[in-house]
Every structure is written in structure tokens, then in C-alpha cells.
Amino acid sequence: MNESKALQSNSSIAHTDEVIIACEDGSFQKTGQKTRILRAEEAKQLSENQVLVSDFKQQKLEKEAQKNWDLFYKRNSTNFFKDRHWTTREFEELKACCKFADQKLTILEAGCGVGNCLFPLLEEDLNIFAYACDFSPRAVEYIKQNPLYDAKRCKVFQCDLTKDDLLENVPLESVDVVMLIFVLSAVHPEKMHLVLRNIYKVLKPGKYVLFRDYGLHDHAMLRFKSACKLGENFYVRQDGTRSYFFSDGK
Ligand SMILES: C[S@@+](CC[C@H](N)C(=O)[O-])C[C@H]1O[C@@H](n2cnc3c(N)ncnc32)[C@H](O)[C@@H]1O
């Protein structure tokens, strides 16, 4: 299952759409199912896999979250995630924000990685100005080096969304759409609200947060072996990066 939602800044959840199987690289397949039903052996594996990583190691992972993502990009450069050409198709709100033909849309991609979502979007819609940030300095550098990077259409900066004030780089209430694509899952569940508070300040009143991320029982979740569990629906990969798996209740 893969969670996809559009949230309006002055209301509760607007809608939840289809259920999809997410792959580790962020690509996905539609299944037509409402919920991914676990096979018996999968359910058994999940119920047996209950031992949590020690507090000491958990604190170390939190302290080193930025370093671990930066090393991820050192190892994989720009080659890990597939370009995400589906954003305008999946999120009608991206189009609905433009009420007339030449209206400029200002977006913020929070946790942009190396631009797999950002660049397809900028190519597809010439009326978009994008702010984009990530806490990995390497990821930010890769974006700046991308031949498609154009400082007139995009401002990229380094920012830890859980502690650096977005207002240092993005004006107050200036953004039509904030995109959170496979990002919140990488943040400790106890700090997710800090990210939301941070992006709320730069969002124009009544505008949108578009969210897509891993969902409960995704293949990516079932692949975790024992000794990788950090908490309920929260796991750590071999490289120290972490992933939360969302359900409708969270
Ligand atoms: C799975 S990647 C997704 C990247 C991108 N949104 C995409 O769709 O390709 C998650 C990204 O979140 C970034 N990230 C994780 N925690 C963050 C934080 N606290 N502040 C900013 N970026 C963060 C990581 O560096 C990584 O680039």
C-alpha cells in the first residue's frame, strides 16, 4: 500500500486516493486493491519480527540521520530513484491551483533529494517556480549541477526540515503547493509534526500539501529482517536510513 493525500492548509485531509504497491526506489504499481492483504507467511514474519533496536543505537541513528542520507547520495549519486513523471497525473491539485493559463505556480519540494520529482515537474510546466530543499548537502549540490537547473526557475537550499526555519529561504505564505514525496517516512515519527509546522508557515492560506509515501505492508516494509525494527511501522535499512510506513490512521 502506498499513501497519497492532498491536504489543504486550512482544513483536515481532503482525500485519500488509490492504494498502490511502492517499490524501494519510489516507483509504484497500482493493484486495484483497497488494502494489501498479507499472505500467511508475511503475517507470520511481521508478527515474529518484534525485537526493537536498542535505545542507544536509535539515538545514534537520529543524530546521524543527515550524515547517513548524505552517504547514501555519495554511494548512489543520482542513480537510485527513478524520475517521477507521475506527479501532475496523480495530483490534480497541481493543475487546479492554476485557475488561468499563464498563472505562475510557486511550489516547494521539501526533501527533494537529487531532483527526481523536481526536474520532471519543471520540464512539464513552464509556469512553475520551485523552491527545493534537502538536508543532504550532496543532494543539493547534485541538483545545482544538473543541466536542467535554472536559477531563474528554481531555488535550491540545504535545510533540515525538523529544525531549520524555512522562512530563511522562502517568504511567509508564498507557496501554492508543498510536495512531500517519500520524505516524511524518513523523519522520526516524533518529529514529523515539526516538519508540518515548518512548511505550514510558507504555505499560502488554503493551499495544498501533496503527500505520497510508503504505506503499511508495502513490499519495502516486508523486506526488513529482524534487528531492523525501530518502533511501530518504523524500520532502519542497512545504510542507516530509516523508513516509516503510513496507514490511514497516521
Ligand atoms: C526517499 S528520498 C526522496 C527524495 C525525493 N523527494 C524524491 O522524490 O526523489 C528522502 C529524502 O528526504 C531527505 N530528508 C530526510 N530527512 C530530512 C530532513 N529532516 N530534512 C530535509 N530533508 C530530509 C533525504 O535526504 C532524502 O533526500
Side-chain angles (χ1 to χ4, degrees), residues 69 73 81-82 84 109-114 116-117 133-136 139 159-162 181-183 186-187 195 214:
W69 271 106
Y73 289 114
F81 300 114
K82 291 202 177 96
R84 309 187 196 287
E109 198 199 345
C112 57
V114 292
N116 296 90
C117 181
C133 67
D134 200 283
F135 72 172
S136 156
C159 166
D160 182 338
L161 292 159
T162 65
I181 309 293
F182 293 99
V183 169
V187 174
V195 176
Y214 296 111

Side-chain angles (χ1 to χ4, degrees), residues 39-230:
R39 294 196 308 268
E41 65 269 27
E42 292 173 331
K44 182 164 177 280
Q45 180 202 326
L46 271 187
S47 69
E48 285 172 359
N49 184 1
Q50 293 298 337
V51 180
L52 299 187
V53 170
S54 71
D55 277 354
F56 175 78
K57 192 164 176 218
Q58 297 228 21
Q59 281 170 27
K60 189 165 186 286
L61 287 168
E62 178 59 21
K63 225 181 276 167
E64 296 181 350
Q66 180 185 11
K67 185 181 91 183
N68 288 333
W69 271 106
D70 205 51
L71 289 172
F72 170 90
Y73 289 114
K74 184 177 184 189
R75 266 190 312 279
N76 296 295
S77 69
T78 55
N79 301 322
F80 191 83
F81 300 114
K82 291 202 177 96
D83 273 353
R84 309 187 196 287
H85 287 283
W86 41 259
T87 41
T88 44
R89 191 182 70 231
E90 296 291 320
F91 291 119
E92 287 165 11
E93 294 79 6
L94 267 174
K95 292 216 168 98
C97 284
C98 288
K99 298 226 167 57
F100 47 90
D102 291 334
Q103 188 178 4
K104 289 266 179 227
L105 192 71
T106 303
I107 69 164
L108 163 67
E109 198 199 345
C112 57
V114 292
N116 296 90
C117 181
L118 176 73
F119 289 118
L121 209 53
L122 285 173
E123 274 192 302
E124 204 172 303
D125 189 339
L126 297 177
N127 283 325
I128 284 179
F129 179 87
Y131 294 98
C133 67
D134 200 283
F135 72 172
S136 156
R138 259 192 195 88
V140 169
E141 208 37 53
Y142 277 127
I143 293 206
K144 287 184 178 164
Q145 283 165 14
N146 190 308
L148 294 171
Y149 182 70
D150 174 357
K152 289 195 284 300
R153 298 196 57 211
C154 180
K155 175 179 174 180
V156 63
F157 54 96
Q158 195 202 338
C159 166
D160 182 338
L161 292 159
T162 65
K163 52 181 183 225
D164 301 327
D165 194 344
L166 279 168
L167 291 176
E168 284 168 22
N169 285 285
V170 185
L172 181 77
E173 296 183 357
S174 63
V175 169
D176 296 287
V177 174
V178 175
M179 304 194 69
L180 284 172
I181 309 293
F182 293 99
V183 169
L184 222 44
S185 55
V187 174
H188 193 289
E190 283 172 13
K191 293 194 174 174
M192 288 177 189
H193 69 288
L194 300 175
V195 176
L196 298 179
R197 255 189 225 154
N198 207 357
I199 60 178
Y200 185 79
K201 289 184 280 187
V202 299
L203 201 57
K204 289 180 188 171
K207 292 304 178 88
Y208 295 95
V209 177
L210 304 182
F211 165 83
R212 169 156 281 178
D213 220 315
Y214 296 111
L216 197 64
H217 302 160
D218 272 351
H219 288 313
M221 175 171 171
L222 298 170
R223 270 201 295 271
F224 284 107
K225 303 279 181 268
S226 56
C228 294
K229 189 162 174 160
L230 300 170

